Amino acid sequence: GQQVMQIPQYQHVQEGEDFTTYCNSSTTLSNIQWYKQRPGGHPVFLIQLVKSGEVKKQKRLTFQFGEAKKNSSLHITATQTTDVGTYFCAGPSAGGTSYGKLTFGQGTILTVHP
Amino acid sequence: GAVVSQHPSRVICKSGTSVKIECRSLDFQATTMFWYRQFPKQSLMLMATSNEGSKATYEQGVEKDKFLINHASLTLSTLTVTSAHPEDSSFYICSARRRGLGGELFFGEGSRLTVL
């Protein structure tokens, strides 16, 4: 079945360093979404990418969608302690009949040391 | 913005009892809601898709008689963990998609279930 793989599983950085998490799907995706979950909290939507090769920025966050629409990345420049949390990528589930059904990657747990 | 509310946020129960978790869309109608289960430091595992006015669709390996889902209105879905056991202890999160706002999911705050 469809798999969404995400690496690394953990990332520890010093405040001010950059951070990148990578997402790979076993199937071509119509779109990819990114979510952030703070410790003890629930996932919050960050962004959706739709077009092949698309790049979107949100302040220090840069999101990319691969040309083949099977991989994506999230890059954070100059991390801050507020960036701590787990970052998930998610793509529409293959073969699903329910609109909105997503398959989530394993997530990358980011720790930022002050 | 769209908000999904989940209740209770925490529940502790004895083994063998049943627990009901509510998921409400506060300012929009949700014909479809999704129930996830999350273990510590792990990803979100989709348990079932809750459809308003019809039976829920369960993912492979999820016992429908164990996890009863009812979606009686356009703003409320409930998950009942029946005859709970310690292995059912987990973080349960619901989500919904608001029509017209793209594919993003709005998540409830989650319910942490501890079965003693």
Side-chain angles (χ1 to χ4, degrees):
Chain A
Q2 180 191 37
Q3 290 187 326
V4 178
M5 310 295 289
Q6 204 173 336
I7 57 169
Q9 185 177 0
Y10 299 93
Q11 186 74 60
H12 309 280
V13 300
Q14 288 291 133
E15 189 172 19
E17 292 180 340
D18 292 355
F19 158 76
T20 304
T21 174
Y22 301 90
C23 181
N24 287 283
S25 171
S26 59
T27 60
T28 300
L29 301 171
S30 58
N31 67 80
I32 194 158
Q33 300 177 23
W34 286 90
Y35 291 81
K36 177 183 178 181
Q37 184 177 22
R38 293 181 183 275
H42 60 281
V44 174
F45 175 80
L46 293 177
I47 207 163
Q48 176 174 277
L49 304 172
V50 179
K51 299 178 182 177
S52 168
E54 188 171 13
V55 178
K56 285 189 176 181
K57 291 190 176 184
Q58 290 180 350
K59 297 183 180 178
R60 294 178 295 104
L61 277 61
T62 302
F63 303 84
Q64 289 187 312
F65 199 11
E67 294 289 342
K69 302 183 75 173
K70 295 181 70 173
N71 61 289
S72 181
S73 65
L74 158 59
H75 179 83
I76 302 178
T77 304
T79 55
Q80 300 175 358
T81 55
T82 53
D83 295 325
V84 165
T86 303
Y87 293 85
F88 293 99
C89 62
S93 297
T97 56
S98 296
Y99 188 55
K101 184 175 177 181
L102 298 177
T103 298
F104 283 81
Q106 300 96 318
T108 295
I109 300 173
L110 173 63
T111 306
V112 180
H113 299 286
Chain B
V3 176
V4 174
S5 179
Q6 201 172 328
H7 178 80
S9 59
R10 293 179 183 272
V11 57
I12 301 173
C13 69
K14 293 182 178 180
S15 186
T17 60
S18 295
V19 174
K20 180 185 284 188
I21 301 170
E22 293 186 347
C23 180
R24 295 180 183 273
S25 55
L26 296 184
D27 60 354
F28 66 100
Q29 294 181 336
T31 55
T32 302
M33 291 185 175
F34 303 93
W35 286 95
Y36 293 87
R37 183 174 181 175
Q38 187 178 36
F39 291 103
K41 297 188 177 182
Q42 293 192 23
S43 188
L44 299 154
M45 290 178 51
L46 180 65
M47 298 175 64
T49 302
S50 173
N51 305 298
E52 188 269 335
S54 65
K55 292 182 179 179
T57 305
Y58 289 83
E59 295 300 302
Q60 191 173 8
V62 178
E63 300 176 58
K64 58 181 66 176
D65 295 331
K66 174 74 170 176
F67 300 99
L68 299 178
I69 292 173
N70 184 279
H71 196 150
S73 76
L74 286 171
T75 59
L76 174 63
S77 175
T78 60
L79 168 68
T80 301
V81 183
T82 63
S83 186
H85 292 283
E87 57 265 30
D88 298 324
S89 298
S90 189
F91 191 53
Y92 294 88
I93 318 177
C94 68
S95 70
R97 178 188 161 271
R98 183 176 183 178
R99 289 186 180 275
L101 277 188
E104 69 175 283
L105 293 179
F106 295 92
F107 283 85
E109 304 93 335
S111 300
R112 187 163 302 282
L113 170 64
T114 303
V115 184
L116 302 176

PDB file of all heavy atoms in Angstrom, chain B residues 70-88:
ATOM      1  N   ASN B  70     -20.074   7.042  15.956  1.00  0.00           N
ATOM      2  CA  ASN B  70     -21.397   7.525  15.599  1.00  0.00           C
ATOM      3  C   ASN B  70     -21.298   8.965  15.132  1.00  0.00           C
ATOM      4  O   ASN B  70     -20.682   9.796  15.791  1.00  0.00           O
ATOM      5  CB  ASN B  70     -22.331   7.444  16.813  1.00  0.00           C
ATOM      6  CG  ASN B  70     -23.748   7.839  16.451  1.00  0.00           C
ATOM      7  OD1 ASN B  70     -24.087   9.006  16.373  1.00  0.00           O
ATOM      8  ND2 ASN B  70     -24.581   6.852  16.183  1.00  0.00           N
ATOM      9  N   HIS B  71     -21.870   9.253  13.985  1.00  0.00           N
ATOM     10  CA  HIS B  71     -21.805  10.609  13.419  1.00  0.00           C
ATOM     11  C   HIS B  71     -23.236  11.044  13.152  1.00  0.00           C
ATOM     12  O   HIS B  71     -23.700  11.044  12.019  1.00  0.00           O
ATOM     13  CB  HIS B  71     -20.977  10.567  12.132  1.00  0.00           C
ATOM     14  CG  HIS B  71     -20.519  11.906  11.658  1.00  0.00           C
ATOM     15  ND1 HIS B  71     -19.343  12.055  10.948  1.00  0.00           N
ATOM     16  CD2 HIS B  71     -21.044  13.129  11.778  1.00  0.00           C
ATOM     17  CE1 HIS B  71     -19.186  13.321  10.637  1.00  0.00           C
ATOM     18  NE2 HIS B  71     -20.195  14.001  11.137  1.00  0.00           N
ATOM     19  N   ALA B  72     -23.921  11.389  14.235  1.00  0.00           N
ATOM     20  CA  ALA B  72     -25.361  11.607  14.167  1.00  0.00           C
ATOM     21  C   ALA B  72     -25.756  12.958  13.605  1.00  0.00           C
ATOM     22  O   ALA B  72     -26.884  13.147  13.163  1.00  0.00           O
ATOM     23  CB  ALA B  72     -25.964  11.430  15.559  1.00  0.00           C
ATOM     24  N   SER B  73     -24.857  13.906  13.619  1.00  0.00           N
ATOM     25  CA  SER B  73     -25.194  15.222  13.086  1.00  0.00           C
ATOM     26  C   SER B  73     -24.008  15.767  12.302  1.00  0.00           C
ATOM     27  O   SER B  73     -22.924  15.181  12.295  1.00  0.00           O
ATOM     28  CB  SER B  73     -25.548  16.188  14.219  1.00  0.00           C
ATOM     29  OG  SER B  73     -24.380  16.625  14.887  1.00  0.00           O
ATOM     30  N   LEU B  74     -24.220  16.888  11.658  1.00  0.00           N
ATOM     31  CA  LEU B  74     -23.174  17.467  10.814  1.00  0.00           C
ATOM     32  C   LEU B  74     -22.072  18.136  11.626  1.00  0.00           C
ATOM     33  O   LEU B  74     -21.095  18.614  11.058  1.00  0.00           O
ATOM     34  CB  LEU B  74     -23.785  18.480   9.850  1.00  0.00           C
ATOM     35  CG  LEU B  74     -24.586  17.864   8.700  1.00  0.00           C
ATOM     36  CD1 LEU B  74     -25.330  18.950   7.935  1.00  0.00           C
ATOM     37  CD2 LEU B  74     -23.663  17.100   7.753  1.00  0.00           C
ATOM     38  N   THR B  75     -22.247  18.199  12.938  1.00  0.00           N
ATOM     39  CA  THR B  75     -21.230  18.852  13.762  1.00  0.00           C
ATOM     40  C   THR B  75     -20.701  17.964  14.886  1.00  0.00           C
ATOM     41  O   THR B  75     -19.892  18.412  15.689  1.00  0.00           O
ATOM     42  CB  THR B  75     -21.794  20.143  14.390  1.00  0.00           C
ATOM     43  OG1 THR B  75     -22.929  19.814  15.199  1.00  0.00           O
ATOM     44  CG2 THR B  75     -22.194  21.137  13.310  1.00  0.00           C
ATOM     45  N   LEU B  76     -21.133  16.718  14.951  1.00  0.00           N
ATOM     46  CA  LEU B  76     -20.728  15.876  16.074  1.00  0.00           C
ATOM     47  C   LEU B  76     -20.448  14.440  15.641  1.00  0.00           C
ATOM     48  O   LEU B  76     -21.260  13.794  14.991  1.00  0.00           O
ATOM     49  CB  LEU B  76     -21.822  15.855  17.148  1.00  0.00           C
ATOM     50  CG  LEU B  76     -21.606  14.905  18.325  1.00  0.00           C
ATOM     51  CD1 LEU B  76     -20.361  15.303  19.127  1.00  0.00           C
ATOM     52  CD2 LEU B  76     -22.835  14.864  19.219  1.00  0.00           C
ATOM     53  N   SER B  77     -19.290  13.971  16.026  1.00  0.00           N
ATOM     54  CA  SER B  77     -18.939  12.563  15.867  1.00  0.00           C
ATOM     55  C   SER B  77     -18.449  12.070  17.223  1.00  0.00           C
ATOM     56  O   SER B  77     -17.774  12.806  17.942  1.00  0.00           O
ATOM     57  CB  SER B  77     -17.835  12.384  14.817  1.00  0.00           C
ATOM     58  OG  SER B  77     -17.426  11.024  14.747  1.00  0.00           O
ATOM     59  N   THR B  78     -18.804  10.845  17.557  1.00  0.00           N
ATOM     60  CA  THR B  78     -18.346  10.287  18.826  1.00  0.00           C
ATOM     61  C   THR B  78     -17.621   8.974  18.603  1.00  0.00           C
ATOM     62  O   THR B  78     -17.957   8.197  17.695  1.00  0.00           O
ATOM     63  CB  THR B  78     -19.515  10.050  19.800  1.00  0.00           C
ATOM     64  OG1 THR B  78     -20.434   9.129  19.202  1.00  0.00           O
ATOM     65  CG2 THR B  78     -20.230  11.344  20.121  1.00  0.00           C
ATOM     66  N   LEU B  79     -16.608   8.758  19.417  1.00  0.00           N
ATOM     67  CA  LEU B  79     -15.846   7.512  19.418  1.00  0.00           C
ATOM     68  C   LEU B  79     -16.015   6.886  20.793  1.00  0.00           C
ATOM     69  O   LEU B  79     -15.714   7.530  21.796  1.00  0.00           O
ATOM     70  CB  LEU B  79     -14.368   7.781  19.139  1.00  0.00           C
ATOM     71  CG  LEU B  79     -13.397   6.633  19.393  1.00  0.00           C
ATOM     72  CD1 LEU B  79     -13.630   5.506  18.398  1.00  0.00           C
ATOM     73  CD2 LEU B  79     -11.947   7.111  19.320  1.00  0.00           C
ATOM     74  N   THR B  80     -16.525   5.668  20.828  1.00  0.00           N
ATOM     75  CA  THR B  80     -16.676   4.964  22.097  1.00  0.00           C
ATOM     76  C   THR B  80     -15.727   3.780  22.115  1.00  0.00           C
ATOM     77  O   THR B  80     -15.811   2.901  21.250  1.00  0.00           O
ATOM     78  CB  THR B  80     -18.124   4.479  22.304  1.00  0.00           C
ATOM     79  OG1 THR B  80     -19.011   5.601  22.275  1.00  0.00           O
ATOM     80  CG2 THR B  80     -18.259   3.764  23.640  1.00  0.00           C
ATOM     81  N   VAL B  81     -14.836   3.783  23.088  1.00  0.00           N
ATOM     82  CA  VAL B  81     -13.935   2.654  23.291  1.00  0.00           C
ATOM     83  C   VAL B  81     -14.650   1.706  24.250  1.00  0.00           C
ATOM     84  O   VAL B  81     -14.845   2.032  25.424  1.00  0.00           O
ATOM     85  CB  VAL B  81     -12.591   3.109  23.870  1.00  0.00           C
ATOM     86  CG1 VAL B  81     -11.641   1.923  24.007  1.00  0.00           C
ATOM     87  CG2 VAL B  81     -11.973   4.204  23.007  1.00  0.00           C
ATOM     88  N   THR B  82     -15.065   0.577  23.747  1.00  0.00           N
ATOM     89  CA  THR B  82     -15.855  -0.353  24.557  1.00  0.00           C
ATOM     90  C   THR B  82     -14.950  -1.349  25.276  1.00  0.00           C
ATOM     91  O   THR B  82     -13.922  -1.771  24.743  1.00  0.00           O
ATOM     92  CB  THR B  82     -16.856  -1.121  23.682  1.00  0.00           C
ATOM     93  OG1 THR B  82     -16.136  -1.903  22.738  1.00  0.00           O
ATOM     94  CG2 THR B  82     -17.782  -0.167  22.952  1.00  0.00           C
ATOM     95  N   SER B  83     -15.368  -1.693  26.491  1.00  0.00           N
ATOM     96  CA  SER B  83     -14.623  -2.644  27.310  1.00  0.00           C
ATOM     97  C   SER B  83     -13.129  -2.365  27.214  1.00  0.00           C
ATOM     98  O   SER B  83     -12.332  -3.196  26.748  1.00  0.00           O
ATOM     99  CB  SER B  83     -14.927  -4.079  26.847  1.00  0.00           C
ATOM    100  OG  SER B  83     -14.330  -5.024  27.712  1.00  0.00           O
ATOM    101  N   ALA B  84     -12.772  -1.185  27.666  1.00  0.00           N
ATOM    102  CA  ALA B  84     -11.388  -0.722  27.516  1.00  0.00           C
ATOM    103  C   ALA B  84     -10.409  -1.570  28.323  1.00  0.00           C
ATOM    104  O   ALA B  84     -10.729  -2.059  29.420  1.00  0.00           O
ATOM    105  CB  ALA B  84     -11.289   0.733  27.942  1.00  0.00           C
ATOM    106  N   HIS B  85      -9.231  -1.746  27.765  1.00  0.00           N
ATOM    107  CA  HIS B  85      -8.148  -2.461  28.422  1.00  0.00           C
ATOM    108  C   HIS B  85      -6.897  -1.585  28.399  1.00  0.00           C
ATOM    109  O   HIS B  85      -6.817  -0.630  27.601  1.00  0.00           O
ATOM    110  CB  HIS B  85      -7.908  -3.803  27.745  1.00  0.00           C
ATOM    111  CG  HIS B  85      -9.027  -4.778  27.942  1.00  0.00           C
ATOM    112  ND1 HIS B  85      -9.210  -5.473  29.134  1.00  0.00           N
ATOM    113  CD2 HIS B  85     -10.048  -5.147  27.135  1.00  0.00           C
ATOM    114  CE1 HIS B  85     -10.273  -6.240  29.021  1.00  0.00           C
ATOM    115  NE2 HIS B  85     -10.806  -6.062  27.833  1.00  0.00           N
ATOM    116  N   PRO B  86      -5.923  -1.892  29.237  1.00  0.00           N
ATOM    117  CA  PRO B  86      -4.721  -1.044  29.297  1.00  0.00           C
ATOM    118  C   PRO B  86      -4.066  -0.805  27.935  1.00  0.00           C
ATOM    119  O   PRO B  86      -3.533   0.274  27.696  1.00  0.00           O
ATOM    120  CB  PRO B  86      -3.804  -1.834  30.246  1.00  0.00           C
ATOM    121  CG  PRO B  86      -4.753  -2.521  31.177  1.00  0.00           C
ATOM    122  CD  PRO B  86      -5.914  -2.914  30.309  1.00  0.00           C
ATOM    123  N   GLU B  87      -4.128  -1.776  27.041  1.00  0.00           N
ATOM    124  CA  GLU B  87      -3.512  -1.594  25.718  1.00  0.00           C
ATOM    125  C   GLU B  87      -4.245  -0.580  24.849  1.00  0.00           C
ATOM    126  O   GLU B  87      -3.743  -0.174  23.796  1.00  0.00           O
ATOM    127  CB  GLU B  87      -3.409  -2.931  24.971  1.00  0.00           C
ATOM    128  CG  GLU B  87      -4.723  -3.653  24.790  1.00  0.00           C
ATOM    129  CD  GLU B  87      -4.984  -4.675  25.873  1.00  0.00           C
ATOM    130  OE1 GLU B  87      -4.512  -4.484  27.017  1.00  0.00           O
ATOM    131  OE2 GLU B  87      -5.681  -5.665  25.575  1.00  0.00           O
ATOM    132  N   ASP B  88      -5.450  -0.182  25.289  1.00  0.00           N
ATOM    133  CA  ASP B  88      -6.194   0.853  24.565  1.00  0.00           C
ATOM    134  C   ASP B  88      -5.764   2.249  24.987  1.00  0.00           C
ATOM    135  O   ASP B  88      -6.206   3.245  24.382  1.00  0.00           O
ATOM    136  CB  ASP B  88      -7.700   0.701  24.807  1.00  0.00           C
ATOM    137  CG  ASP B  88      -8.243  -0.622  24.315  1.00  0.00           C
ATOM    138  OD1 ASP B  88      -7.762  -1.096  23.266  1.00  0.00           O
ATOM    139  OD2 ASP B  88      -9.127  -1.192  24.983  1.00  0.00           O
TER     140      ASP B  88
END
